[in-house]
Amino acid sequence: MSNLYFSHGDKGGVGKSLLSAVLVDHLIQSGRDVGIIEGDTGADIALRFSDIDLQLVNLNRSGAQEEAVLGFSEALEALAGKDIVVNLPAGA
């Protein structure tokens, strides 16, 4: 069974990316097949985990919500069957 984890908050600098990184580490150490959806273009989680499946999706798209949702849906589909950690941008 796959799980979907979200790291979110209303403002930047509160540790969303750190929480995502710790969660990814934990899942990997637990033997889980992990994927990441990086929705925060300012975060560096993509650099920390270059060896696992990663989808970059700009989810900070004020005025372009339909495109953001479509990109998110495509990323979920690409990572199907994995535990997915979603690192959201502030206020998403």
Side-chain angles (χ1 to χ4, degrees), residues 5 7 27 47:
Y5 303 92
S7 178
L27 292 169
L47 300 173

Side-chain angles (χ1 to χ4, degrees), residues 15-91:
K16 296 180 298 295
S17 296
L18 177 62
L19 175 66
S20 293
V22 169
L23 180 55
V24 169
D25 278 335
H26 171 74
L27 292 169
I28 290 170
Q29 290 176 10
S30 298
R32 304 293 296 184
D33 190 11
V34 182
I36 300 171
I37 296 177
E38 178 57 83
D40 185 357
T41 57
D44 65 349
I45 194 169
L47 300 173
R48 296 178 198 211
F49 298 102
S50 59
D51 56 336
I52 65 173
D53 287 337
L54 174 77
Q55 297 288 313
L56 298 172
V57 181
N58 184 0
L59 297 176
N60 194 9
R61 309 267 326 249
S62 180
Q65 296 89 346
E66 288 181 31
E67 291 174 27
V69 170
L70 178 61
F72 183 71
S73 297
E74 290 171 351
L76 285 175
E77 191 173 314
L79 298 172
K82 299 178 181 291
D83 281 352
I84 302 171
V85 177
V86 182
N87 188 41
L88 292 170

